[in-house]
Amino acid sequence: MSEPVVESMAEVRSHLADVIDRARHEETPTIITRRGKQEAVVIDIQEYQRLRRLAEDAEEAWLNRLADEAESEGTAGSVSLEDMAAMLRDQQG
């Protein structure tokens, strides 16, 4: 991927098809500014999909790691539902 081109909203409006072609064929993103502030970026759809997959995979790995940590922390000293029910029955009887 090439270094991004930075253009204002007005510039992009005047040649949007070129901006899309540049993203698609040259793999060059365009950062769009409004009033000097970066607002959006135009990238090729395949790059967008790749980035989405990376983000989803990273999120899934993070959630799995959290679940593994919770599971390992939660089992030490815990009592199963069956054991808890037996303890309550013993206390009542």
Side-chain angles (χ1 to χ4, degrees):
M1 180 177 280
S2 303
E3 285 296 310
V5 173
V6 178
E7 293 186 341
S8 70
M9 182 83 74
E11 291 170 322
V12 170
R13 254 190 227 120
S14 69
H15 67 105
L16 181 59
D18 294 333
V19 170
I20 293 170
D21 288 343
R22 181 171 54 214
R24 188 167 173 215
H25 300 296
E26 299 172 26
E27 297 181 355
T28 302
T30 300
I31 296 172
I32 302 171
T33 63
R34 183 175 13 196
R35 297 181 195 94
K37 182 180 174 193
Q38 295 181 349
E39 295 284 337
V41 63
V42 176
I43 59 173
D44 177 64
I45 189 66
Q46 290 176 343
E47 179 65 6
Y48 170 77
Q49 291 168 339
R50 185 185 74 79
L51 292 171
R52 284 288 304 237
R53 280 192 303 275
L54 283 173
E56 289 168 0
D57 291 349
E59 181 179 27
E60 185 175 337
W62 177 71
L63 290 173
N64 286 336
R65 195 167 46 252
L66 284 178
D68 290 344
E69 289 173 10
E71 185 175 325
S72 67
E73 290 174 5
T75 57
S78 65
V79 178
S80 72
L81 287 175
E82 292 82 11
D83 291 342
M84 180 62 74
M87 288 169 42
L88 289 172
R89 279 193 302 273
D90 290 346
Q91 285 180 356
Q92 290 176 353

